């Protein structure tokens, strides 16, 4: 099962947006049953803060979830936001920004779910 790290950018409160996105993904009839997600920190705790900064969602995706379903669900969540944040998915060296549910984005997310690499090892 692929593991995908999800980040949001372009927002003042990334943790709040990540919580919202995770709730949205779990509540969706199609995606909710095909993934397990949890909020995490990408780095060690900062001694200057009282708690841990949660800045990504780690998703474990089962084989029953299609790239189109995941892309559409994320795009619908973005559309429902007052100011749609950037959503970046990463697995290994493959990184995809979900900015819509267009065919190219779905193909890039499919490659991410299948554990494929870009030829140059960069962004999809």
């Amino acid at each position: 099962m692929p593991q995908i790290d999800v980040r949001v950018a372009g927002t003042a409160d990334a943790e709040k947006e990540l919580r919202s996105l995770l709730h949205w993904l779990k509540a969706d009839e199609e995606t909710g049953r095909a993934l397990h997600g949890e909020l995490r920190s990408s780095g060690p705790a900062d001694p200057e803060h009282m708690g841990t900064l949660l800045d990504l969602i780690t998703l474990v995706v089962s084989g029953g979830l299609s790239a189109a379903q995941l892309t559409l669900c994320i795009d619908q969540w973005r559309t429902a936001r007052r100011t749609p944040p950037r959503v970046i998915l990463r697995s290994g060296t493959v990184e995809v920004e979900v900015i819509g549910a267009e065919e190219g984005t779905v193909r890039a997310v499919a490659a991410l779910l299948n554990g494929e690499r870009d030829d140059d090892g960069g962004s999809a």
Side-chain angles (χ1 to χ4, degrees), residues 15-16 28-29 31 55 79 95 99 104 107 119 121:
E15 184 176 334
K16 178 181 173 186
D28 184 81
E29 193 172 297
T31 61
D55 60 351
T79 303
E95 190 170 281
I99 54 174
R107 275 197 311 267
D119 291 337

Side-chain angles (χ1 to χ4, degrees), residues 90-101:
R90 182 178 181 88
S91 181
T93 61
V94 180
E95 190 170 281
V96 178
E97 182 173 351
V98 178
I99 54 174

Side-chain angles (χ1 to χ4, degrees), residues 45-53:
D46 183 351
E48 298 294 317
H49 291 92
M50 296 240 340
T52 303
L53 174 66

